Amino acid sequence: MINKIKDFFIKNGIETDEAKAEAHFLVCEVSGLPIEKIITGEKIQNENEIWALAEKRIETGAPIQHITGFSYFMGDKFIVNSDVLIPRPETEILVQQALKLAREKALQNGELRILDIGTGTGCIAIEIAKNLPDISCVDKTVVEKSLSLEVLGVDISTSALHIAIKNMEALNQQRRVVFRKSDIFSSVYEDEKFDIIVSNPPYIPIQFKDTLQNEVKNFDPPQALFANDKDGIEFYNRILEGAKKYLKPNGYVIFELGCTEGMMQSKKVTEIARKFDYTLEFIEKDLEGTDRVIAFTACSGTKI
Ligand code: GLN
């Protein structure tokens, strides 16, 4: 059945590798059977349902994740719809690097507050919470205590927050994750201080809209994708400008970066950070060699 659906997708204009991946995802997820069982010929009970969804994929042009209603991120299932950006695999690099910083901070003081700006599905906030176990740390009084962690996810979109809350509940992170409507820092209180501010902001320069795939251009929410300046750095600028007020001493800001038509954003974002007196902590590349994640500390120094 996977091959038949793959061929149906290819015949209808989906590129071969993509068609294969989508057919695999659709059949396994909707049948509830693992790939090994499908390959070895186990009977699929709901073939009609799967074909109906494959046809819907072609008729609507919507991404396969909107057809099934979910996507995977860091091995977990996230509810998605057109109100939220579908989590991208690159964003897992951001979460891994944020976790590295969080573990370091957690070991120092056992108390950790993290802010995720533009939380969308909540995938970053939720996975950070889920992957920071209740590690015991030894504080100054050499008493073992468990980690006190709160991750605050904010988004300007109320409908995105509804999805984020559903995902938080499905992944059972209510104890350590909260969501709030806020346009960047607009609803973050002056006395709220964070160890780490993380964000995967909208970073595609609006003039590149027509170069995007239809599945992205027509179905991901535009406010999750686009920045209104030619370099796509509007939101990095706004976040870095405001962040110092909300960071604990030596707190970190960590971002995902974009790359459009070969133009990496790392240099531009580093310039903004320098302007606001941050210190570059590190840049992490993705598998294609693109600068994908960048972290800064809130103190000034000589590393940049
Ligand atoms: N934080 C979400 C993600 O990384 C949404 C980001 C966005 O909407 N730009 O997937």
Side-chain angles (χ1 to χ4, degrees):
M1 186 176 196
I2 293 186
N3 274 333
K4 281 192 195 149
I5 291 190
K6 182 189 85 182
D7 292 342
F8 171 68
F9 283 163
I10 294 172
K11 207 176 82 206
N12 284 283
I14 299 180
E15 184 262 322
T16 309
D17 286 345
E18 184 57 31
K20 195 172 159 191
E22 290 193 15
H24 181 287
F25 176 74
L26 184 66
V27 176
C28 291
E29 290 301 327
V30 184
S31 69
L33 294 173
I35 186 72
E36 310 80 55
K37 293 219 166 158
I38 294 172
I39 290 172
T40 52
E42 176 131 345
K43 174 118 185 69
I44 296 171
Q45 302 295 340
N46 53 350
E47 286 205 9
N48 290 345
E49 186 193 346
I50 297 170
W51 270 110
L53 292 173
E55 278 162 14
K56 194 170 162 199
R57 161 77 178 98
I58 297 304
E59 276 160 26
T60 60
I64 196 74
Q65 295 91 338
H66 285 186
I67 303 294
T68 59
F70 59 83
S71 175
Y72 280 93
F73 184 73
M74 295 198 61
D76 285 318
K77 222 165 158 168
F78 282 80
I79 300 163
V80 295
N81 66 12
S82 53
D83 293 325
V84 289
L85 186 82
I86 297 171
R88 305 297 205 262
E90 307 86 90
T91 306
E92 296 191 3
I93 306 174
L94 174 64
V95 172
Q96 296 295 4
Q97 295 303 318
L99 281 167
K100 227 167 69 182
L101 299 177
R103 289 191 189 104
E104 172 201 307
K105 291 271 179 209
L107 287 172
Q108 281 165 15
N109 58 20
E111 212 185 84
L112 206 51
R113 292 200 81 214
I114 298 174
L115 173 64
D116 172 28
I117 298 178
T119 198
T121 51
C123 63
I124 297 173
I126 293 167
E127 286 301 327
I128 288 178
K130 194 166 170 254
N131 285 282
L132 282 175
D134 273 320
I135 43 168
S136 285
C137 63
V138 180
D139 72 5
K140 289 185 204 93
T141 53
V142 202
V143 176
E144 281 225 346
K145 59 176 189 180
S146 65
L147 174 66
S148 142
L149 170 70
E150 184 186 279
V151 189
L152 170 63
V154 298
D155 205 290
I156 193 170
S157 156
T158 310
S159 42
L161 290 170
H162 285 305
I163 300 291
I165 290 167
K166 282 192 193 158
N167 283 322
M168 171 187 73
E169 288 169 354
L171 294 166
N172 206 14
Q173 295 302 313
Q174 303 88 309
R175 196 167 59 83
R176 302 162 112 197
V177 178
V178 284
F179 292 110
R180 190 186 302 163
K181 185 176 164 76
S182 183
D183 178 8
I184 309 192
F185 297 111
S186 68
S187 299
V188 181
Y189 303 110
E190 293 243 343
D191 59 352
E192 287 185 288
K193 303 286 176 204
F194 299 90
D195 299 272
I196 299 170
I197 296 178
V198 55
S199 184
N200 174 22
Y203 55 61
I204 302 173
I206 187 77
Q207 74 271 21
F208 288 114
K209 185 169 177 193
D210 290 335
T211 66
L212 301 178
Q213 283 174 284
N214 286 338
E215 285 87 348
V216 177
K217 186 168 60 186
N218 300 336
F219 294 93
D220 277 316
Q223 68 180 1
L225 295 174
F226 300 114
N228 285 306
D229 61 297
K230 71 170 184 22
D231 297 317
I233 51 173
E234 171 191 2
F235 291 96
Y236 301 104
N237 194 65
R238 285 180 61 190
I239 294 171
L240 285 166
E241 185 174 14
K244 277 209 166 159
K245 210 161 87 185
Y246 300 98
L247 279 172
K248 292 186 191 168
N250 300 315
Y252 293 114
V253 182
I254 178 165
F255 291 121
E256 178 170 324
L257 295 168
C259 177
T260 319
E261 301 204 328
M263 190 188 71
M264 289 193 224
Q265 289 174 324
S266 48
K267 208 163 148 251
K268 292 254 151 56
V269 174
T270 306
E271 277 165 22
I272 300 170
R274 192 201 307 250
K275 182 174 86 190
F276 293 120
D277 207 20
Y278 290 83
T279 303
L280 177 66
E281 190 65 26
F282 60 78
I283 295 177
E284 187 71 21
K285 290 184 187 297
D286 64 16
L287 292 174
E288 276 154 24
T290 300
D291 291 348
R292 189 54 75 181
V293 170
I294 195 160
F296 302 98
T297 33
C299 59
S300 56
T302 52
K303 284 195 212 166
I304 287 185

